[in-house]
Amino acid sequence: MSTQKLRKERIDRGIKVRSDGLYALMSLRELSYLTLPRFVLIAGMLSLPFLMPDMYWQRVISIVCIYAILALSFDFLAHYVGLVSLGGAFFIGTGGYVAGILNSYYGIPPVLTVPLAAIIGGAICTLMLLPCLPLKGVYFAIVTLMYPLFMARIIEAFDLFGGTDGLAGIDSFSSAFAEQYLVICTVLIFLFGLRRFVTTDMGLIFTAVMDNDQAVKASGINITKYKALAVFIASSAGCMAGACLTHIYMWSGISQFALDFSILPIAATVIGGAGTLAGPVLGCFILVPVSELLRDFGTLRIVFYASVLVGFILFRSDGIMVFMQRKYEQFERWTKI
Amino acid sequence: MNQDMAEPILQMDKTSKSFGGVQALRDVSFDVFPGDVLGIIGPNGSGKTTIVNCITGFVKPTSGRVYFKGEDITGRQPHKVADLGVTRTFQIMRPYYSLPAYKNLVIPLFSPRAKRTGGWRGGGRLGNRQTIAIDILEEIGFERDSYIPFKKTSTLPTGYLKRLELARCLALKPEIIICDEVFSGLSMSEIASMVPLIQRLQDEGITIVMIEHRLRELFQVANRVMVLNFGQKLTEGTPTEVMADEKVKEAYFGSEEVEEVMIYA
Ligand SMILES: Nc1ncnc2c1ncn2[C@@H]1O[C@H](COP(=O)(O)OP(=O)(O)OP(=O)(O)O)[C@@H](O)[C@H]1O
Ligand SMILES: [Mg+2]
């Protein structure tokens, strides 16, 4: 008996071939082929507040979006600039405190504190990370991991901004809908904005810095300036998320520097698909709700996280997004060899 | 060229560089005049690449000074040196492997210098970077119709990568190009097609410093040659003078090639 050998063959769908790069779209069908995934994502996210059954799950949506912004900022820095940053908690904490201080000390309303926290917080984070910009790879990662720990201890030791109690009594957003649409729209704007940005000529500089920083220097370009710009973009996104978090919980405190904010976005990026920007958002929509469902198991959740992560790294290391994209763009069939 | 009249465009003055215990350069001085093609030759490890690095700011000289048009540029950061129009290629090529070939040139075209000057052919105005990039690649020997400019850089053969190194310099509208072994690793026919290119750049008024092991091709384009040995300058002169020099014959590798070249010259 002979064993029959089969091979999986992948063929691009005709529409992909015609639409990839050269946007010569011939029909409504081709147009919808391109826009459908984007439309599903946008419509899906915008309808989430209506689909969720209760307050609790609506809150989960907000938290998912906050993590999604962090995951976007991580993915952008790591895979388009080459700076692996574990500073998610640093961004969230800085943004959270800036919003908290502006609101409770100066009485500035949330509509202003959120954008202000993005700008001021982003500037603070960028300035503090400036000395680390020449570092590469794991060294940058380690230093960025130290920053949130450092900040939390400083606030604790000097009893700044309410010390360990934090700043309480901060204004919330005007309504649950306002809160959810703010975070959902922020995710969408950052997602599509960054996807567009990385393909512009300036976005290309970041890729070049990641690929070969010496050649960028030899091209007469100041790489420190561009790295700082990238860190500013990523950290102001994170700080904005932090400001939202402060207003959602009406409190800002040192637990905003918790390492969860650094670690979970990375796990989401691995699961969703590194370097795809949309993937990490997707990853957050899977990881965060699941972790909420597992809340009853307490710290055992970590075991679940770890196994999911290891599983993905071993079996689907390019992530869900790449997998789905391939299914969408290509036929697969078994052929005899 | 007319060395008595012209001011040197680039000067290295008693420059030394040591890496820990290794003295890579020892009191090296030389001048480059506008329009020159200066060849630098020397055995492996004699400090040629270190000279390039000292000029372009990739390493700081331990002592000595580097001047560009009389301005002291010693230890200036690489991007600032490049901004002056002092450009270099890398001996170990440094393209952006993840980008298509033409997008490699979008990077230098995005630099402040290219914005000021308009790039290689630009008269001060910069148009669409991607179109200019493809034009530069075509001029430097990428066949436009073959889609080679659009291929991913990691799939290109060495010959194209060497041209890409030169193209990166050209995109900046350079005053000086320092070529670190652009011929090495190329086939005879590829080198033969690069020689006219170098001559054309010289005709356009770009000053060129060429570090080269391929003496035969170097002597076709260079008007002066400096010889380096163990980090020290042995001698300097026209190709014929240098080849006649006893010290050079002694120091330079198994003098066979030297003789071969002498006959040729
Ligand atoms: N970054 C560095 N760190 C330590 N030593 C170095 C460094 N760069 C160069 N050297 C040493 O300096 C000396 C000169 O090196 P250099 O690369 O300038 O030689 P070269 O003439 O370019 O040689 P080749 O013909 O092989 O390119 C060598 O002994 C080398 O080992
Ligand atoms: Mg060398």
Side-chain angles (χ1 to χ4, degrees):
Chain A
M1 230 181 86
S2 68
T3 51
Q4 208 173 38
K5 288 200 173 156
L6 289 174
R7 184 170 66 94
K8 205 182 222 175
E9 198 176 50
R10 297 201 175 110
I11 305 157
D12 278 356
R13 290 183 207 277
I15 297 169
K16 172 184 161 58
V17 175
R18 261 171 289 153
S19 60
D20 221 21
L22 301 158
Y23 288 91
L25 299 177
M26 302 304 289
S27 66
L28 210 59
R29 199 170 106 82
E30 296 184 5
L31 195 70
S32 55
Y33 170 83
L34 271 186
T35 50
L36 191 69
R38 292 164 177 79
F39 178 77
V40 168
L41 179 75
I42 294 173
M45 283 190 66
L46 289 179
S47 55
L48 273 176
F50 296 100
L51 298 177
M52 286 300 136
D54 53 30
M55 285 287 289
Y56 175 75
W57 281 100
Q58 289 179 350
R59 176 56 50 83
V60 172
I61 293 303
S62 306
I63 305 302
V64 168
C65 290
I66 282 168
Y67 276 110
I69 296 170
L70 281 180
L72 270 174
S73 104
F74 170 80
D75 198 30
F76 168 66
L77 273 190
H79 300 108
Y80 291 90
V81 193
L83 293 170
V84 179
S85 147
L86 297 179
F90 178 47
F91 302 157
I92 286 280
T94 309
Y97 266 98
V98 170
I101 291 163
L102 288 178
N103 185 257
S104 70
Y105 292 1
Y106 303 100
I108 299 174
V111 267
L112 288 177
T113 57
V114 173
L116 279 176
I119 296 165
I120 300 172
I124 294 173
C125 293
T126 311
L127 276 178
M128 289 187 67
L129 287 172
L130 218 47
C132 319
L133 290 183
L135 299 177
K136 278 183 198 157
V138 72
Y139 299 102
F140 186 78
I142 290 171
V143 173
T144 49
L145 187 63
M146 301 320 285
Y147 270 97
L149 304 176
F150 170 80
M151 296 294 277
R153 292 295 87 78
I154 292 275
I155 288 172
E156 201 178 353
F158 293 98
D159 209 18
L160 299 170
F161 315 124
T164 43
D165 295 335
L167 296 166
I170 291 167
D171 294 341
S172 67
F173 290 110
S174 54
S175 71
F177 269 110
E179 164 194 320
Q180 285 166 55
Y181 277 108
L182 176 70
V183 286
I184 288 175
C185 291
T186 309
V187 171
L188 289 175
I189 289 169
F190 269 112
L191 172 59
F192 288 104
L194 280 178
R195 275 177 75 101
R196 175 60 57 88
F197 178 66
V198 294
T199 60
T200 60
D201 286 356
M202 193 192 274
L204 225 49
I205 306 282
F206 294 124
T207 313
V209 168
M210 175 170 72
D211 231 10
N212 209 326
D213 55 350
Q214 304 283 326
V216 181
K217 287 185 196 168
S219 304
I221 290 174
N222 185 350
I223 63 168
T224 312
K225 190 176 119 189
Y226 282 92
K227 280 185 180 175
L229 178 63
V231 168
F232 179 75
I233 294 171
S235 60
S236 44
C239 287
M240 192 161 166
C244 293
L245 198 70
T246 291
H247 289 295
I248 289 172
Y249 287 125
M250 296 186 278
W251 176 79
S252 69
I254 48 176
S255 68
Q256 288 180 326
F257 287 109
L259 286 186
D260 292 26
F261 294 115
S262 294
I263 306 299
L264 197 137
I266 300 174
T269 304
V270 170
I271 289 173
T276 58
L277 294 176
V281 174
L282 202 69
C284 288
F285 271 91
I286 296 168
L287 266 190
V288 180
V290 169
S291 115
E292 283 302 319
L293 286 174
L294 294 176
R295 193 166 276 281
D296 295 342
F297 295 96
T299 42
L300 262 181
R301 281 189 299 169
I302 305 291
V303 176
F304 163 79
Y305 265 5
S307 4
V308 169
L309 205 59
V310 170
F312 262 94
I313 290 172
L314 287 179
F315 302 110
R316 270 265 107 74
S317 57
D318 42 2
I320 297 174
M321 190 64 194
V322 178
F323 177 76
M324 293 199 329
Q325 205 170 349
R326 200 174 62 221
K327 290 282 178 208
Y328 190 69
E329 289 175 348
Q330 295 177 322
F331 292 114
E332 285 180 355
R333 64 177 179 212
W334 293 96
T335 52
K336 286 185 198 144
I337 45 169
Chain B
M1 306 243 142
N2 20 5
Q3 301 186 4
D4 306 323
M5 294 145 66
E7 281 281 296
I9 186 166
L10 188 69
Q11 273 179 298
M12 209 168 193
D13 184 27
K14 288 210 173 68
T15 301
S16 301
K17 174 73 200 176
S18 47
F19 297 103
V22 183
Q23 181 114 35
L25 286 182
R26 196 177 310 218
D27 284 337
V28 175
S29 307
F30 65 93
D31 295 343
V32 187
F33 294 90
D36 260 356
V37 178
L38 172 71
I40 300 181
I41 61 174
N44 288 106
S46 54
K48 303 182 296 297
T49 301
T50 308
I51 287 188
V52 185
N53 286 337
C54 284
I55 295 172
T56 52
F58 283 84
V59 305
K60 273 201 176 74
T62 318
S63 66
R65 311 241 58 102
V66 180
Y67 300 94
F68 171 69
K69 291 184 172 171
E71 193 183 334
D72 191 346
I73 58 165
T74 324
R76 216 176 263 194
Q77 284 173 296
H79 70 266
K80 290 190 180 150
V81 178
D83 196 65
L84 293 170
V86 182
T87 60
R88 66 169 298 176
T89 70
F90 289 96
Q91 181 175 0
I92 301 160
M93 296 151 291
R94 292 185 167 279
Y96 310 111
Y97 284 110
S98 63
L99 300 177
Y102 76 102
K103 287 199 176 171
N104 270 258
L105 293 189
V106 172
I107 316 302
L109 287 173
F110 200 85
S111 66
R113 181 174 174 87
K115 281 177 195 161
R116 268 198 324 269
T117 59
W120 188 15
R121 293 271 179 260
R125 266 179 57 83
L126 196 64
N128 181 310
R129 290 190 186 83
Q130 314 209 343
T131 327
I132 300 176
I134 294 171
D135 289 343
I136 294 179
L137 285 181
E138 194 182 28
E139 280 203 73
I140 204 160
F142 280 59
E143 302 84 349
R144 183 193 285 256
D145 297 334
S146 63
Y147 291 106
I148 290 175
F150 303 97
K151 278 196 175 161
K152 208 167 186 190
T153 314
S154 53
T155 65
L156 293 180
T158 317
Y160 285 107
L161 295 183
K162 293 277 183 185
R163 285 170 196 271
L164 207 51
E165 286 285 319
L166 267 180
R168 186 183 56 228
C169 299
L170 289 173
L172 291 173
K173 198 176 179 73
E175 308 231 9
I176 303 178
I177 302 179
I178 308 174
C179 305
D180 199 352
E181 303 199 12
V182 280
F183 291 164
S184 66
L186 299 189
S187 69
M188 292 311 268
S189 66
E190 279 175 319
I191 294 176
S193 69
M194 288 278 271
V195 169
L197 176 65
I198 303 283
Q199 284 165 337
R200 200 148 51 87
L201 297 181
Q202 187 195 7
D203 290 343
E204 289 188 19
I206 300 173
T207 306
I208 294 170
V209 177
M210 287 198 83
I211 290 171
E212 214 39 74
H213 280 304
R214 311 290 297 246
L215 301 188
R216 185 184 300 234
E217 288 79 13
L218 178 66
F219 291 172
Q220 286 179 30
V221 288
N223 60 329
R224 279 188 319 126
V225 176
M226 176 172 100
V227 187
L228 217 59
N229 196 25
F230 293 114
Q232 275 174 305
K233 181 164 145 182
L234 263 190
T235 181
E236 188 186 335
T238 63
T240 345
E241 282 166 14
V242 164
M243 281 305 110
D245 196 310
E246 284 301 320
K247 278 186 293 182
V248 178
K249 278 188 202 169
E250 226 171 87
Y252 216 60
F253 43 139
S255 60
E256 256 169 55
E257 192 183 347
V258 178
E259 254 142 49
E260 199 185 316
V261 172
M262 280 173 64
I263 295 163
Y264 174 82

